[in-house]
């Protein structure tokens, strides 16, 4: 998922998958939940930006795994500076941050909310003051 436009649906999907990957796997259940959330995300994105997104995100989501070159460096027990900068620049709009948090929580909980997923989730929740 290289070249992700800030505050885009792709950015929201990346964030959700990034949270899901913290336990060193992205379960099928997590991807399935994220795919189900796509319609809601499209609607929210349209309401916020007035842009309709018509893309096949199911294929994108199913193609991502923990070896994705953009995702892999951020799978760890600690939050590194490069990770903070990347995610902060990826999701700058508070409304989109809300959507990303909701999508991440919903998808990461699909197979149980692992403590490492929760740790990064809580960091961003606090950082974005949500």
């Amino acid at each position: 998922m290289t070249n992700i436009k800030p505050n885009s649906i792709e950015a929201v999907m990346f964030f959700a998958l990034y949270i899901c990957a913290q336990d060193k796997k992205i379960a099928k259940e997590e991807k399935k939940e994220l795919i189900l959330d796509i319609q809601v995300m499209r609607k929210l994105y349209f309401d916020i930006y007035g842009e309709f997104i018509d893309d096949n995100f199911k294929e994108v989501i199913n193609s991502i795994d923990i070896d994705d070159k953009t995702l892999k460096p951020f799978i760890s027990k600690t939050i590194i500076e490069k990770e903070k900068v990347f995610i902060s620049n990826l999701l700058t709009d508070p409304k989109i941050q809300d959507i990303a948090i909701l999508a991440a929580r919903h998808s990461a909980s699909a197979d149980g909310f692992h403590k490492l997923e929760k740790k990064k989730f809580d960091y961003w929740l606090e950082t974005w003051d949500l």
Side-chain angles (χ1 to χ4, degrees), residues 20 31 41 46 82 105 119-121 126:
C20 291
K31 288 182 177 184
M41 286 190 279
F46 179 79
K82 182 179 178 182
R105 173 66 184 190
K119 181 179 179 180
K120 297 255 178 130
F121 178 86
E126 184 178 319

Side-chain angles (χ1 to χ4, degrees), residues 25-57:
K25 66 179 185 211
I26 302 174
K28 289 178 186 176
E29 298 88 359
E30 291 172 322
K31 288 182 177 184
K32 184 177 178 180
E33 289 301 319
L34 186 55
I35 290 167
L36 292 172
D37 286 346
I38 291 292
Q39 293 302 339
V40 174
M41 286 190 279
R42 282 182 174 155
K43 170 77 170 98
L44 290 171
Y45 196 83
F46 179 79
D47 289 347
I48 294 169
Y49 290 106
E51 295 178 30
F52 178 73
I53 307 298
D54 188 26
D55 214 342
N56 193 354
F57 293 116

